[in-house]
């Protein structure tokens, strides 16, 4: 095998391994962000992404090794890298259309486990081929770098180290640098461009620039020109804001009546501001029962904590209707808090701590009269805020007579559904648990306390609320509260 000029120094081969490893991880993390608005960012989706990528890499390893043994020509490897680079560069341009097309086909043909099948099909179509090609890099480079069996272990070890170090950087850079700064689309283009540049340097230094290499460069430039947009909701032309943070895809839309935030989904409402100041007509209104259960009209002052502050819909409602409530919130995504101040009229005097809800409770000694747990969005349930240990921690931060209210989505009737697990888990910690379904939605509100007289306090406080929209609504909702009869579906930190 004749070595090309650039390959006579093994450093270039190690660089190829380094950047290939980096690009694989960057594409994996980019895949999670590309799929999140369509399928959520749940553990199910992450499992599918990781599994399909591992399949692609394994097949690439097998093919790359056999191809290198059969025809040890470096040109073949770097041609594959150009194809991979162009494919990765095309993902921002075509990926979202492919994902929606797959979803449209499967939604009419799959009755069960639509999310699993749709996410798996999307990963197979969009991501498997370029990562299969990148999977051929390592076995090919082993063929080009091992000169003698005496140093084969050292050489393979160095290649492995280069790949691992590249993978480490490819893990951190997209999450903390490129995606928050320039978005998912440009992140794909950056790492695809690195692969293309590596391949072009090889061909130029070898004076073997082919029509295929030139065509690949032109196609990649076209992808850069037309695929740089970070818009996932490409059919929307009037969004107030669309962007990404370290944690979420974020979308703000506004009309004459309201401002709405959606996170990690193209549709749906995570937070809302009613410009008229009226009640939302959503689960936030039902959660207003919690202050009454905690005796808001009996207290001079009441402290409320919201875990999962969002843009402050619940906080603003409580402050609007009660002048004796001090509200503070915890929100893990600092960008959401920025949007809350910018678009949702969240005042500066409402304190928001940028932190994980459970970690905040671990570090906080203060007790509250009401704790609202609103950290569950679409099908994404933070496991660390769903266990017996977590709800025990919440209970320890409640005052005597304090009440926890939990917003649960996707209520179902099947045995062992997620809300049954949550309610059973909460019932293992709190003495009294009541639930009420939110009309016109899939939400269910759960109220829990150890006070023993929660319902009596509720009735007394509603009766002393000034007549009006809130009092009438509380009267109607309280009549629909149901005592929860617990089962044995428990979630712990271990399981």
């Amino acid at each position: 095998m004749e070595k090309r000029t650039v390959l006579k120094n093994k450093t270039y081969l190690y660089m190829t391994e380094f950047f290939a490893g980096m690009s694989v991880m960057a594409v994996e993390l980019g895949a999670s962000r590309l799929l999140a608005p369509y399928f959520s960012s749940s553990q199910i989706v992450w499992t599918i992404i990781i599994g399909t990528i591992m399949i692609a890499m394994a097949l690439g390893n097998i093919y790359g090794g056999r191809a290198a043994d059969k025809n040890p020509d470096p040109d073949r490897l770097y041609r594959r890298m150009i194809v991979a680079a162009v494919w990765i560069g095309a993902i921002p341009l075509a990926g979202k259309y492919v994902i929606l097309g797959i979803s449209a086909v499967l939604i009419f043909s799959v009755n069960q486990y639509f999310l699993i099948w749709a996410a798996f099909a999307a990963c197979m179509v969009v991501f498997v081929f370029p990562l299969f090609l990148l999977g051929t890099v390592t076995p090919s480079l082993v063929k080009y770098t091992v000169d003698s069996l005496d140093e084969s272990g050292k050489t393979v070890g160095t290649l492995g180290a280069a790949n691992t170090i590249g993978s480490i950087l490819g893990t951190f850079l997209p999450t903390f640098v490129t995606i928050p700064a320039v978005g998912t689309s440009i992140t794909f283009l950056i790492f695809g461009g690195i692969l293309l540049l590596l391949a072009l340097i090889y061909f130029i230094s070898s004076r073997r620039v082919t029509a295929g290499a030139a065509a690949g460069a032109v196609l990649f430039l076209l992808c850069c020109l037309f695929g740089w947009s970070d818009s996932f909701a490409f059919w929307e032309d009037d969004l107030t804001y669309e962007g990404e943070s370290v944690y979420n895809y974020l979308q703000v839309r506004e009309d004459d009546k309201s401002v709405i935030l959606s996170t990690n989904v193209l549709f749906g409402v995570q937070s809302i501001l009613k410009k008229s100041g009226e009640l939302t007509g959503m689960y936030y209104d039902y959660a207003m029962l919690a202050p009454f259960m905690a005796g808001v009209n009996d207290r001079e002052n009441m402290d409320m904590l919201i875990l999962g502050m969002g843009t402050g819909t619940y906080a603003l409602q409580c402050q609007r209707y009660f002048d004796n409530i001090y509200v503070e919130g915890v929100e893990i995504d600092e960008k959401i808090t920025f949007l809350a101040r910018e678009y949702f009229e969240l005042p500066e005097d409402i304190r928001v701590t940028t932190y994980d809800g459970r970690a905040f409770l671990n570090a906080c000694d203060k007790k509250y009269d009401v704790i609202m747990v609103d950290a569950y969005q679409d099908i994404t349930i933070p496991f660390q805020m769903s266990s017996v240990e977590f709800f025990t921690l919440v209970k320890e931060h409640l005052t005597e007579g304090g009440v926890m209210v939990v917003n649960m989505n996707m209520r179902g009737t099947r045995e062992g559904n997620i809300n049954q697990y949550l309610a059973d888990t909460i019932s293992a910690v709190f003495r009294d648990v009541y639930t009420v379904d939110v009309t016109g939605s899939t939400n269910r509100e759960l109220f829990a306390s150890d006070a023993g007289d929660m319902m009596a306090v509720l009735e007394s406080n509603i009766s002393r609320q000034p007549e009006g929209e809130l009092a009438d609504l509380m009267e109607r909702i309280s009549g629909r509260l149901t005592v929860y009869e617990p089962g044995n579906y428990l979630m712990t930190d271990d399981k």
Side-chain angles (χ1 to χ4, degrees):
M1 176 186 68
E2 177 191 355
K3 286 192 176 180
R4 313 300 180 211
T5 302
V6 74
L7 300 187
K8 291 180 180 179
N9 186 340
K10 291 184 180 179
T11 301
Y12 192 77
L13 296 175
Y14 295 139
M15 287 178 56
T16 301
E17 184 77 1
F18 172 85
F19 285 112
M22 178 187 291
S23 298
V24 167
M25 293 308 299
V27 170
E28 181 174 333
L29 289 163
S32 72
R33 298 308 296 268
L34 185 69
L35 295 177
Y38 308 96
F39 304 125
S40 87
S41 58
S42 67
Q43 187 175 8
I44 293 172
V45 176
W46 262 112
T47 299
I48 292 168
I49 292 171
I50 294 171
T52 52
I53 286 175
M54 296 300 287
I55 291 170
M57 295 298 293
L59 293 175
N61 288 165
I62 294 171
Y63 175 81
R66 291 180 177 178
D69 285 340
K70 185 176 180 180
N71 187 358
D73 181 0
D75 287 12
R76 295 165 63 86
L77 169 63
Y78 286 97
R79 280 199 296 267
R80 290 196 294 267
M81 289 181 62
I82 289 177
V83 174
V86 172
W87 189 290
I88 292 169
I91 289 174
L93 181 63
K96 49 198 170 188
Y97 302 101
V98 173
I99 292 169
L100 284 177
I102 290 171
S103 300
V105 171
L106 292 181
I107 200 168
F108 295 109
S109 57
V110 176
N111 295 324
Q112 289 186 322
Y113 307 114
F114 167 77
L115 171 74
I116 296 174
W117 286 111
F120 180 74
C123 282
M124 292 295 292
V125 172
V126 177
F127 298 107
V128 163
F129 183 65
L131 294 176
F132 164 79
L133 296 177
L134 291 180
T136 68
V137 171
T138 298
S140 299
L141 291 179
V142 169
K143 187 74 174 181
Y144 309 145
T145 52
V146 173
D147 296 320
S148 69
L149 292 178
D150 292 338
E151 294 187 353
S152 61
K154 175 184 175 182
T155 302
V156 172
T158 305
L159 282 173
N163 184 280
T164 301
I165 295 170
S167 298
I168 293 169
L169 287 177
T171 301
F172 286 100
L173 285 175
T175 299
F176 295 108
V177 180
T178 62
I179 289 177
V182 296
T184 300
S185 296
I186 295 181
T187 295
F188 280 120
L189 294 173
I190 288 172
F191 288 95
I194 291 172
L195 293 173
L196 179 66
L197 183 61
L198 273 172
L200 290 179
I201 289 174
Y202 164 78
F203 283 110
I204 292 171
S205 66
S206 302
R207 299 178 183 178
R208 298 168 62 84
V209 179
T210 63
V218 171
L219 287 173
F220 189 84
L221 286 175
L222 291 174
C223 291
C224 291
L225 288 174
F226 297 104
W228 60 269
S229 172
D230 60 355
S231 175
F232 288 91
F234 52 88
W235 56 86
E236 300 271 12
D237 57 6
D238 59 349
L239 291 176
T240 303
Y241 174 88
E242 185 180 21
E244 296 179 83
S245 69
V246 172
Y247 296 98
N248 293 293
Y249 159 74
L250 302 165
Q251 185 186 97
V252 177
R253 58 165 57 89
E254 183 175 359
D255 57 31
D256 294 337
K257 296 182 179 180
S258 58
V259 185
I260 294 170
L261 171 73
S262 295
T263 60
N264 282 340
V265 288
L266 294 176
F267 310 99
V269 177
Q270 264 61 55
S271 292
I272 186 170
L273 170 68
K274 288 286 188 179
K275 294 181 178 180
S276 64
E278 63 186 328
L279 291 168
T280 63
M282 300 172 63
Y283 72 84
Y284 307 100
D285 303 348
Y286 286 63
M288 297 289 284
L289 282 174
F292 289 101
M293 291 174 170
V296 66
N297 289 323
D298 298 326
R299 300 172 184 261
E300 183 177 347
N301 294 297
M302 176 176 282
D303 289 316
M304 175 182 290
L305 175 66
I306 303 174
L307 302 178
M309 185 69 160
T311 61
T313 303
Y314 188 57
L316 287 173
Q317 282 199 175
C318 289
Q319 283 205 334
R320 186 178 302 122
Y321 286 98
F322 307 111
D323 58 10
N324 61 338
I325 290 185
Y326 172 77
V327 184
E328 61 180 298
V330 180
E331 172 57 55
I332 197 170
D333 194 335
E334 188 175 24
K335 191 69 168 284
I336 290 180
T337 303
F338 167 78
L339 296 177
R341 310 283 190 201
E342 184 77 11
Y343 300 108
F344 292 83
E345 301 180 6
L346 185 68
E348 293 292 338
D349 62 352
I350 293 183
R351 176 188 171 194
V352 182
T353 302
T354 304
Y355 217 39
D356 172 79
R358 180 164 174 175
F360 176 86
L361 292 179
N362 279 320
C364 170
D365 295 328
K366 184 177 178 180
K367 293 195 174 187
Y368 300 87
D369 302 298
V370 174
I371 296 179
M372 165 68 146
V373 180
D374 193 15
Y376 313 141
Q377 52 175 305
D378 54 84
I379 63 168
T380 305
I381 310 290
F383 82 92
Q384 77 275 14
M385 296 180 68
S386 309
S387 65
V388 169
E389 291 84 351
F390 166 71
F391 291 115
T392 300
L393 192 60
V394 172
K395 178 179 173 179
E396 292 170 353
H397 282 78
L398 286 172
T399 59
E400 185 177 353
V403 174
M404 176 185 73
V405 53
V406 180
N407 173 51
M408 303 188 298
N409 197 3
M410 299 195 309
R411 66 174 186 260
T413 57
R414 293 177 62 181
E415 182 71 16
N417 65 73
I418 185 61
N419 284 334
Q420 187 173 2
Y421 266 97
L422 285 170
D424 285 1
T425 301
I426 293 168
S427 297
V429 176
F430 287 90
R431 170 181 168 179
D432 298 317
V433 177
Y434 290 81
T435 63
V436 60
D437 290 344
V438 179
T439 302
S441 80
T442 61
N443 292 76
R444 174 176 293 162
E445 296 305 289
L446 180 148
F447 304 88
S449 177
D450 262 9
D453 60 348
M454 180 169 68
M455 296 303 292
V457 172
L458 170 65
E459 184 178 345
S460 171
N461 275 259
I462 289 178
S463 68
R464 284 180 285 136
Q465 179 68 16
E467 292 185 4
E469 180 186 27
L470 180 63
D472 293 341
L473 180 63
M474 295 298 97
E475 188 72 36
R476 292 197 304 272
I477 296 174
S478 63
R480 292 170 45 202
L481 284 168
T482 303
V483 177
Y484 185 75
E485 299 294 339
N488 296 313
Y489 291 100
L490 297 182
M491 292 187 287
T492 68
D493 285 351
D494 179 63
K495 186 179 179 183

